[in-house]
Amino acid sequence: MSYLEEIQVKNLDHLGIVAGLIDEIGIVKIINNKLGIDVREKISAGTVVKSILINGLGFVSRPLYLFSQFFQDKAIEKLLGERIKLDYLNDDKIGRVMDELYKYGLNDIFIEVVLEVIKKFKIDLKYSHLDSTSFHLDGEYKREEDKEKQEEEKIIKERPIFIKKGYSRDHRPDLKQCVLDLITSQDGDIPLFVRVGDGNESDKAVFGKVLVEFKKQIKFDSIMVCDSALYGQENLQLIQHLKWITRVPMTIKKAKELVQNIEVEEVKDEDKEKRSDLNLESYTWKEEIVTYGGIKQTWLIVLSEKRQKSDLEKLEKQLSQEEKKSQKFLKEIQSEEFEHPQAARYKLKAINKKLRLLEIKEVELIENYSKKKEKIYKMISLIIKKDEEISRKTKEAGKFILATNLVEENKLEASEILITYKNQQSTERGFRFLKDPLFFTDSFFVEKPERIETMLFLMSLCLLIYNLGQRELRNCLKRVKKGINNQVGKVTLRPTLRWIFQCFQGIHYVILNGVKQIVNLTEERRFILSLLPASCQRYYL
């Protein structure tokens, strides 16, 4: 019995990889340098942040109020330091550190971490991608009624966010929310810039300002890629000194005309193989030089065969649905008795507002008398197709326009513009990660807007660590030209880091009679560790 009491078994699993990546970046040192170290404190702010990030990437869906429970069965002294005890990680300490982070400036800390990552891991910054998403929140927030009292402020605010209802990407318009703007690198989807905004904030109103602020904070020559929310005369003037690629909204008259009238170029035989190698075989395009908002730019009118097929199928379905709906309306209006001709025509006008591709047309108004000998009118009408509208939608099917201010000597190949815009999903992948139910939480439980901003800052750091680890692993596999088995047993050079985390389940930190050792470290796990930074290996080898 006394022998058994001398055995301690703690879980290490994949958390050594997370801790190693945090060490490799130098997050603890950066935060301690910013916030300072109080010799009276048992645990530094940097180590508290490290523990939060490990918790966040534990993928066990434990929010911060269950924080201490997360570490109960973990090798805390291995992950955080020999002298760190579980009771040091209490709610009060975590709350104080979160408040200190906010007070110092979340943006300043994040930028310094990003600059360290760019320098150390040689992140390619030729292209950067901007997008936004919303996070819904429950509860009451003290500042939410103060919005009207505020004057217009800088894009990087000195005040907490306002929790408001707005356009919800989560399809929860009933709940209050905040907005997260995210800029990522095309190389590895590394978060380069994060900003938390008010719940009712409009992308069109802030995207230009976000890009300008980003370029002030991180000075490098990157081509900014964004969706159509960026494209407006005011934003284009604001970012005229930056390089950009964006999508042109079809609400612009010139865009409508081009999509309707221009014919995309046929692919020459010598280009077919090249496009196939670039996975662009289903795309054709034509370039036009356009001046809009006082900015000379290249517009790339693109036709996607797959999208064209999908759009035409949707158009056919919409037409079929409207035919059923219009038959019902036709029967309704022809059976109704009206007191005045104007009443019949008003009803017809209201019905036609509900139709897009069809129209119910008046043929004749027949004057008659009711059973009560009162004069009435009945409408004879028929259904006709809006041929012009159907033709317009048919011509538009599968087409979209990309714009860039890179013209003349800075001109990009059309294929590069298209490929780069398709990589806009790098930010969307980041949003999917942040909203995963296994990550922190899918909606927020903290009550102060300041804490929500800090929470999103910490979640963005988790995304940075995760994507950086995944990038390093994939680059190493590519260099050694050797893959690993994925979830279905197929060899891949592009595993997800989440799968690697799963592969490391069941690794334990054991202390037997004072001797410390790692158990269950198989050859496959050793090989994976050899592909990761040295700081990760130190937690296992």
Side-chain angles (χ1 to χ4, degrees):
M1 191 66 165
S2 59
Y3 175 76
L4 291 175
E5 287 173 354
E6 293 177 10
I7 298 177
Q8 293 181 48
V9 180
K10 296 288 185 179
N11 294 331
L12 185 59
D13 300 326
H14 69 281
L15 301 180
I17 296 175
V18 177
L21 290 168
I22 294 168
D23 295 345
E24 194 75 16
I25 296 167
I27 292 174
V28 174
K29 184 179 178 182
I30 289 170
I31 288 172
N32 284 341
N33 286 342
K34 296 286 187 186
L35 303 187
I37 298 176
D38 188 336
V39 293
R40 297 169 296 177
E41 295 283 353
K42 295 177 180 178
I43 183 171
S44 71
T47 305
V48 170
V49 169
K50 181 179 180 180
S51 68
I52 294 172
L53 300 177
I54 290 172
N55 184 190
L57 289 166
F59 294 112
V60 289
S61 194
R62 287 176 184 261
L64 287 186
Y65 60 80
L66 296 176
F67 189 80
S68 58
Q69 291 182 25
F70 171 81
F71 279 102
Q72 277 180 351
D73 61 348
K74 305 297 186 296
I76 190 168
E77 64 275 18
K78 181 72 173 170
L79 295 167
L80 301 178
E82 291 288 343
R83 298 180 181 179
I84 304 300
K85 306 297 181 188
L86 182 60
D87 59 359
Y88 297 174
L89 299 170
N90 55 65
D91 293 346
D92 290 340
K93 180 63 180 178
I94 293 166
R96 284 199 303 273
V97 169
M98 290 179 76
D99 292 342
E100 286 173 27
L101 290 168
Y102 182 86
K103 188 177 178 181
Y104 183 88
L106 304 173
N107 183 62
D108 291 343
I109 298 171
F110 195 83
I111 291 296
E112 184 152 341
V113 172
V114 165
L115 290 174
E116 186 66 24
V117 168
I118 291 168
K119 179 182 174 183
K120 191 165 191 175
F121 296 92
K122 296 180 174 57
I123 308 297
D124 182 0
L125 299 173
K126 183 176 181 181
Y127 295 108
S128 304
H129 297 262
L130 166 66
D131 208 345
S132 69
T133 192
S134 56
F135 288 84
H136 61 268
L137 305 109
D138 301 293
E140 298 296 322
Y141 296 89
K142 297 174 184 177
R143 296 182 55 81
E144 62 184 295
E145 302 302 327
D146 300 338
K147 175 74 173 177
E148 291 73 18
K149 300 176 185 177
Q150 299 290 327
E151 297 177 359
E152 188 177 347
E153 294 160 337
K154 295 179 182 178
I155 196 70
I156 300 301
K157 302 182 290 297
E158 294 178 358
R159 59 158 175 86
I161 54 171
F162 290 96
I163 308 304
K164 288 276 189 177
K165 288 183 179 179
Y167 173 68
S168 174
R169 281 81 164 179
D170 296 331
H171 308 293
R172 291 300 307 269
D174 54 314
L175 295 177
K176 297 162 192 165
Q177 64 179 24
C178 64
V179 170
L180 179 72
D181 300 315
L182 176 67
I183 296 177
T184 61
S185 68
Q186 189 164 302
D187 176 14
D189 301 348
I190 307 299
L192 302 174
F193 187 85
V194 290
R195 174 188 165 272
V196 186
D198 301 336
N200 60 349
E201 192 172 83
S202 163
D203 291 350
K204 290 180 181 179
V206 302
F207 270 10
K209 296 174 186 175
V210 168
L211 291 183
V212 170
E213 188 64 36
F214 171 59
K215 294 294 283 188
K216 283 182 190 173
Q217 299 279 339
I218 302 181
K219 294 179 172 63
F220 52 77
D221 196 27
S222 189
I223 298 169
M224 307 306 306
V225 187
C226 190
D227 64 20
S228 60
L230 178 68
Y231 201 90
Q233 294 197 31
E234 188 176 335
N235 277 340
L236 294 186
Q237 286 294 325
L238 195 61
I239 62 169
Q240 60 181 307
H241 300 302
L242 307 180
K243 298 175 184 177
W244 49 262
I245 296 171
T246 186
R247 185 166 172 166
V248 181
M250 283 301 149
T251 51
I252 292 174
K253 185 180 177 183
K254 178 71 175 176
K256 286 181 182 177
E257 290 173 357
L258 281 175
V259 165
Q260 285 292 308
N261 301 318
I262 205 163
E263 291 295 327
V264 295
E265 298 173 347
E266 295 254 343
V267 184
K268 296 175 183 176
D269 290 338
E270 59 265 30
D271 291 334
K272 285 182 179 178
E273 188 176 345
K274 184 181 175 183
R275 292 196 186 186
S276 179
D277 292 340
L278 296 171
N279 291 322
L280 297 178
E281 60 267 30
S282 63
Y283 292 91
T284 49
W285 54 74
K286 186 174 177 59
E287 292 184 61
E288 290 282 315
I289 299 296
V290 174
T291 299
Y292 182 80
I295 309 295
K296 187 178 180 182
Q297 48 201 277
T298 299
W299 278 17
L300 190 68
I301 300 94
V302 183
L303 173 64
S304 163
E305 288 179 11
K306 290 179 183 177
R307 182 168 173 172
Q308 184 183 44
K309 184 181 177 184
S310 173
D311 287 350
L312 290 175
E313 285 173 355
K314 286 177 185 175
L315 181 62
E316 187 94 18
K317 186 177 179 182
Q318 186 183 353
L319 192 56
S320 174
Q321 289 173 341
E322 282 208 7
E323 282 172 352
K324 292 176 184 176
K325 191 190 291 186
S326 58
Q327 287 290 347
K328 182 181 173 184
F329 288 149
L330 181 68
K331 187 176 179 182
E332 180 185 321
I333 200 166
Q334 289 194 148
S335 63
E336 194 166 340
E337 297 177 347
F338 298 96
E339 293 181 3
H340 305 285
Q342 294 91 333
R345 290 177 180 131
Y346 182 82
K347 176 72 177 278
L348 182 62
K349 187 178 179 181
I351 284 174
N352 280 326
K353 281 183 179 178
K354 299 175 183 178
L355 301 172
R356 294 286 178 269
L357 305 175
L358 301 174
E359 183 181 10
I360 298 177
K361 198 171 181 69
E362 176 189 335
V363 175
E364 186 181 2
L365 267 178
I366 299 173
E367 187 180 306
N368 212 328
Y369 290 90
S370 66
K371 292 177 182 178
K372 296 180 180 179
K373 306 300 181 185
E374 295 172 340
K375 188 183 284 188
I376 58 164
Y377 296 87
K378 296 197 78 171
M379 180 177 280
I380 303 298
S381 49
L382 58 82
I383 299 167
I384 61 170
K385 287 184 177 180
K386 293 182 182 177
D387 291 328
E388 193 175 320
E389 179 67 12
I390 293 170
S391 174
R392 183 183 69 80
K393 283 187 171 288
T394 302
K395 286 179 180 178
E396 286 179 359
K399 290 180 183 174
F400 59 94
I401 299 177
L402 301 178
T404 177
N405 63 342
L406 295 166
V407 294
E408 296 169 355
E409 68 273 9
N410 294 320
K411 191 174 185 300
L412 293 173
E413 288 288 329
S415 56
E416 188 172 358
I417 295 171
L418 181 54
I419 289 169
T420 301
Y421 187 78
K422 285 175 71 180
N423 285 327
Q424 179 67 1
Q425 60 187 298
S426 67
T427 48
E428 293 168 11
R429 284 191 291 267
F431 295 144
R432 284 198 298 272
F433 175 90
L434 293 172
K435 293 187 174 190
D436 192 308
L438 291 177
F439 183 67
F440 272 126
T441 179
D442 58 352
S443 64
F444 291 107
F445 52 86
V446 287
E447 295 181 357
K448 292 167 64 178
E450 294 92 332
R451 291 276 179 91
I452 290 167
E453 288 191 60
T454 308
M455 191 75 149
L456 279 165
F457 158 79
L458 293 166
M459 290 167 70
S460 300
L461 279 181
C462 284
L463 175 62
L464 186 151
I465 293 160
Y466 180 90
N467 283 352
L468 180 65
Q470 185 167 268
R471 174 187 180 271
E472 290 302 291
L473 177 67
R474 290 176 175 181
N475 285 348
C476 278
L477 285 170
K478 190 176 178 182
R479 280 197 296 271
V480 300
K481 297 179 182 177
K482 186 175 180 182
I484 59 175
N485 290 336
N486 64 11
Q487 292 93 320
V488 293
K490 290 186 178 180
V491 175
T492 178
L493 294 174
R494 294 182 57 80
T496 66
L497 196 62
R498 180 167 296 187
W499 168 242
I500 299 303
F501 287 174
Q502 285 180 256
C503 292
F504 273 66
Q505 296 303 299
I507 294 180
H508 302 298
Y509 180 64
V510 178
I511 304 174
L512 176 59
N513 295 327
V515 178
K516 302 170 184 177
Q517 57 184 317
I518 306 294
V519 297
N520 293 337
L521 201 57
T522 63
E523 284 304 312
E524 182 187 24
R525 289 166 174 170
R526 286 176 183 274
F527 171 65
I528 292 170
L529 283 173
S530 72
L531 304 168
L532 293 167
S535 298
C536 299
Q537 299 170 27
R538 283 198 290 269
Y539 284 88
Y540 298 93
L541 303 176

